Amino acid sequence: MKLDPIQAASAAQFDKQSQHYGKGHVLEQTADVESALKHIPLRPGWRALDVATGGGHTGLLLAARGCDVMLGDLSANMLERAAKLGAERGLHVATRQFPAEAIPFSAGEFDLVSCRVAPHHFSNPEGFVREAARVLKPGGYFLLIDPSIADGHPEVEAWLHDVEKWRDPSHHRIWSEGTWQRWCATAGLMLVHSELQPMKQPDLEWYFTAAATSPENRAKVREAIRTAMPAVREFMRLGEEDGKTVWWWQRLVLVARKPDRSH
Ligand SMILES: C[S@@+](CC[C@H](N)C(=O)[O-])C[C@H]1O[C@@H](n2cnc3c(N)ncnc32)[C@H](O)[C@@H]1O
């Protein structure tokens, strides 16, 4: 598997940190996926591809709903742990190691391509959307959930980018809601639903542990929070609760569909 430097950094980071993303991780809470599925007429027997599956929480939910699921990720350790978690729950899933930017399946193979809380690591997210559209069957659905930001807040976006890069150097970039919508349109997908949901990050220290943030970078993040401009402070709802740093992100939940020209 040939990886670019951004993909290689992610693979190394997540191989090393895979034990943190299974049981007990906040991503195990899948209310966001459940609510997005209201916009998708999911049926048992659908072929679903969960790209950048991490701990497998999205893919395993789809398997529990009767889909025939393929889990994909750059990290072999993540795939191994996700498949093991599935087996513990009596779910059979297939796994395949690949970068989201080059999906190793033929055109029109899947009814659903999902990707949750991962594209901010991708080196070429637009290429990923193109690939997702390619492997979808006509009429198939694309489900994307990722940290994002409303268009028109460049100063907050820049601040968030710095902080995230320090916290987790494998973070590449978050993209605005409008940018994702444009990429979907360019890839020929029709927008079904798009929504920015507020998402509380309840404890900065916990996120440092999950990403194994270095002591120097932890200090940089704390300083950026201390000195954040009022516009950033307000947008991110930066604050303290029970001695813990809390802030709010925006999470994009986007559903799009590949047109079915046979109807
Ligand atoms: C936070 S985890 C994903 C969480 C998961 N989707 C869920 O619903 O719980 C991020 C995952 O993205 C994977 N990843 C990062 N960059 C990738 C890329 N370019 N292609 C495929 N996987 C990637 C990492 O290996 C990691 O397992």
Side-chain angles (χ1 to χ4, degrees):
M1 197 172 54
K2 199 169 158 355
L3 301 181
D4 67 34
I6 294 168
Q7 293 166 338
S10 272
Q13 168 77 3
F14 284 99
D15 266 340
K16 189 164 59 116
Q17 292 300 107
S18 64
Q19 77 277 15
H20 292 292
Y21 284 82
K23 283 186 205 154
H25 193 281
V26 283
L27 290 169
E28 199 179 14
Q29 312 302 324
T30 46
D32 53 339
V33 185
E34 300 274 359
S35 81
L37 288 178
K38 292 185 189 132
H39 304 279
I40 301 175
L42 195 71
R43 277 199 297 276
W46 268 21
R47 277 208 79 201
L49 175 66
D50 188 38
V51 177
T53 197
H57 304 298
T58 306
L60 295 180
L61 184 155
L62 296 171
R65 295 278 197 96
C67 292
D68 171 8
V69 177
M70 172 66 67
L71 306 179
D73 203 285
L74 268 183
S75 155
N77 290 355
M78 281 292 198
L79 286 172
E80 203 178 302
R81 285 177 190 275
K84 198 162 155 245
L85 186 60
E88 280 170 30
R89 294 187 193 162
L91 299 167
H92 174 75
V93 285
T95 60
R96 182 102 171 236
Q97 192 179 8
F98 63 87
E101 295 84 351
I103 299 180
F105 294 100
S106 311
E109 280 203 38
F110 295 93
D111 299 283
L112 172 64
V113 174
S114 57
C115 187
R116 171 179 181 242
V117 191
H120 58 282
H121 296 286
F122 295 174
S123 56
N124 181 359
E126 184 175 12
F128 157 62
V129 177
R130 220 175 18 247
E131 279 290 84
R134 182 183 63 78
V135 299
L136 278 174
K137 295 178 185 171
Y141 283 81
F142 175 56
L143 166 59
L144 173 100
I145 300 179
D146 207 40
S148 177
I149 187 163
D151 292 85
H153 297 276
E155 73 289 7
V156 184
E157 204 172 324
W159 182 88
L160 198 52
H161 178 69
D162 285 344
V163 164
E164 265 306 272
K165 202 81 191 152
W166 288 322
R167 190 185 68 84
D168 175 0
S170 74
H171 165 99
H172 181 46
R173 243 202 94 154
I174 68 162
W175 304 93
S176 75
E177 181 179 25
T179 303
W180 280 111
Q181 292 182 356
R182 187 162 43 78
W183 288 339
C184 286
T186 307
L189 297 173
M190 300 176 309
L191 195 63
V192 173
H193 179 78
S194 176
E195 176 190 359
L196 284 169
Q197 297 176 344
M199 182 178 75
K200 187 178 185 181
Q201 294 213 352
D203 179 5
L204 179 63
E205 298 303 317
W206 185 88
Y207 280 89
F208 283 154
T209 306
T213 314
S214 68
E216 311 83 75
N217 283 7
R218 290 181 192 214
K220 285 183 190 165
V221 173
R222 291 195 191 102
E223 183 61 9
I225 288 174
R226 199 183 62 75
T227 58
M229 289 182 294
V232 172
R233 195 162 285 286
E234 196 180 322
F235 191 94
M236 299 300 299
R237 294 160 66 183
L238 277 170
E240 251 190 57
E241 283 174 22
D242 303 327
K244 293 176 177 158
T245 300
V246 301
W247 49 354
W248 289 74
W249 284 57
Q250 293 188 315
R251 172 170 51 197
L252 176 65
V253 177
L254 181 150
V255 176
R257 191 167 188 216
K258 184 165 174 171
D260 184 353
R261 309 213 188 274
S262 65
H263 289 114

